[in-house]
Amino acid sequence: MMTTASTADAPMIGIAAATGFARHRRLRRTDALRELVRETHVRPSMLVAPIFVRHGTGLREPINALPGVAHLSPDTAADEAETLAGLGVGGVLLFGLPEGKDGQGSEASDDRGAVQETFRRIRARGLSLATIADTCLCEYTDHGHCGPLDQSGEVDNDRAIDRLAATAVSQARAGADIVAPSAMMDGQVAAIRAALDAEGFATTAIMAYASKHASAFYGPFREAAGSAPSFGNRRGYQMDPANGREAMREMAADVAEGADILLVKPGLPGLDLIAGARARFDLPIAAYQVSGEYAMIEAASQRGWLDRRAALLESVGAIVRAGAGIVITYAAADLAGWLEERA
Ligand code: PBG
């Protein structure tokens, strides 16, 4: 015998009212409502654009693995910085390609280096934009590691931090507002702070690459910077990507050593660490959307597999949602333009 007491016969009082489930979609109906309740906003002033400089004049040589990014000379790099400042981008992060390499990465700390020359030119234009130096040696050493090697072929930590400190002082002298040590040597922040203070650069800030994993996503950068290690890998100094608690220890150490800003790298693979850093430390938190993250989006977009603009806005938005207040991204100029359009 069939039952006749089916809900089909009941009056339509609405299942929502009956069960009390929430009406989340009310606030998703229109652009205006969505904008009203948006929790995170990316502003151009939070973005930092990496720039690769080498000696010369008038250079603008595209980098194959990083579409839209080029090797510049100090003059064209200063032009680029001016364009970025005009777009409201918050800062530039300079990487240098040396004329010659050696075991110590000597040119990194040479006041006539391409990075130093570029800082002087940017400074001379009086741009309203933060000038940041990547402080590392791997672009400058003939073996491609982030510091001088010891007898056994490992990076000699304590000689490396002396070289990094000398490099930071030279960058500060040339006009860097912020130095960003990225070599993952123990004690690098303390050594740089002490050297800057001793040389009269107490106002130069340190953005510590505090949590830097030995990531596969740096691949395109190493082509751009000519910094692939000639043997071995960086796992003896960069962190195992499997480790998050270790990342927190590294960050705590950098805070204790005097870091002014903590940087997490890479970005999307490190969202948990960005959130952890934001919860635990009351310093500005930066994140680096690295070359491989950018190149993936570029490559898929070129094939029509991703909507480039939407993918970049979403991924940088996710990095900000996780807790970063500063995002280093190769798409800074495009993002700044898009964000202005929306505003
Ligand atoms: C220098 C440095 C690297 C990156 C930033 N600073 C390369 C590396 O550690 O191998 C990577 C940036 C990127 O992939 O966009 N040590």
Side-chain angles (χ1 to χ4, degrees):
M1 198 182 176
M2 271 175 59
T3 169
T4 53
S6 85
T7 49
D9 300 326
M12 295 294 287
I13 56 161
I15 196 80
T19 61
F21 68 71
R23 287 271 181 200
H24 302 292
R25 289 180 54 193
R26 280 183 195 124
L27 298 178
R28 296 178 193 154
R29 274 181 44 241
T30 66
D31 279 343
L33 286 167
R34 289 189 289 270
E35 182 68 28
L36 187 72
V37 298
R38 183 155 298 140
E39 296 176 25
T40 44
H41 295 269
V42 182
R43 282 175 284 108
S45 61
M46 304 163 66
L47 304 176
V48 173
I51 295 183
F52 297 93
V53 289
R54 62 155 53 126
H55 294 278
T57 49
L59 293 182
R60 192 171 279 277
E61 296 165 355
I63 298 167
N64 188 40
L66 288 174
V69 185
H71 285 133
L72 305 176
S73 43
D75 55 335
T76 54
D79 292 343
E80 180 81 8
E82 191 161 345
T83 303
L84 290 160
L87 287 163
V89 169
V92 287
L93 173 64
L94 298 192
F95 293 94
L97 288 88
E99 229 147 35
K101 302 190 184 206
D102 59 23
Q104 329 296 314
S106 301
E107 208 175 312
S109 57
D110 187 333
D111 288 341
R112 290 156 308 171
V115 162
Q116 287 84 346
E117 176 61 21
T118 304
F119 280 131
R120 284 191 291 270
R121 284 173 183 256
I122 294 175
R123 199 27 79 98
R125 295 192 191 199
L127 304 177
S128 168
L129 158 128
T131 52
I132 312 174
D134 186 88
T135 306
C136 197
L137 302 168
C138 56
E139 299 103 292
Y140 298 90
T141 53
D142 49 14
H143 44 72
H145 282 284
C146 300
L149 305 177
D150 66 16
Q151 305 283 355
S152 65
E154 284 179 44
V155 177
D156 182 330
N157 191 86
D158 297 5
R159 277 170 59 220
I161 63 178
D162 284 347
R163 291 286 308 123
L164 291 165
T167 300
V169 167
S170 170
Q171 293 167 333
R173 192 180 295 128
D177 295 314
I178 303 176
V179 294
S182 66
M184 290 301 281
M185 295 297 134
D186 293 330
Q188 63 183 11
V189 172
I192 288 172
R193 185 72 271 155
L196 288 172
D197 291 351
E199 298 290 330
F201 298 106
T203 59
T204 304
I206 300 177
M207 176 165 76
Y209 283 74
S211 169
K212 179 169 174 180
H213 281 136
S215 170
F217 293 103
Y218 308 152
F221 173 93
R222 291 180 188 173
E223 185 192 314
S227 66
S230 61
F231 68 91
N233 54 56
R234 302 210 203 291
R235 286 186 222 123
Y237 37 104
Q238 298 179 353
M239 278 185 297
D240 182 343
N243 292 357
R245 289 188 295 271
E246 183 185 356
M248 290 298 139
R249 289 204 301 279
E250 279 275 4
M251 288 194 256
D254 283 0
V255 173
E257 288 182 30
D260 299 288
I261 300 172
L262 294 176
L263 172 59
V264 175
K265 178 179 169 197
L268 280 196
L271 290 182
D272 57 327
L273 306 175
I274 297 170
R278 177 68 293 154
R280 186 157 155 191
F281 306 106
D282 289 328
L283 291 180
I285 305 297
Y288 198 144
Q289 180 186 50
V290 300
S291 57
E293 297 178 70
Y294 174 79
M296 284 195 296
I297 294 174
E298 292 300 316
S301 303
Q302 279 173 14
R303 293 179 181 211
W305 293 348
L306 281 179
D307 174 339
R308 177 174 184 267
R309 172 176 169 152
L312 284 166
L313 284 166
E314 181 178 333
S315 48
V316 170
I319 289 169
V320 172
R321 191 189 68 230
I326 301 168
V327 184
I328 302 169
T329 167
Y330 297 96
D334 283 340
L335 285 162
W338 299 330
L339 293 164
E340 281 306 304
E341 278 171 37
R342 286 210 301 199

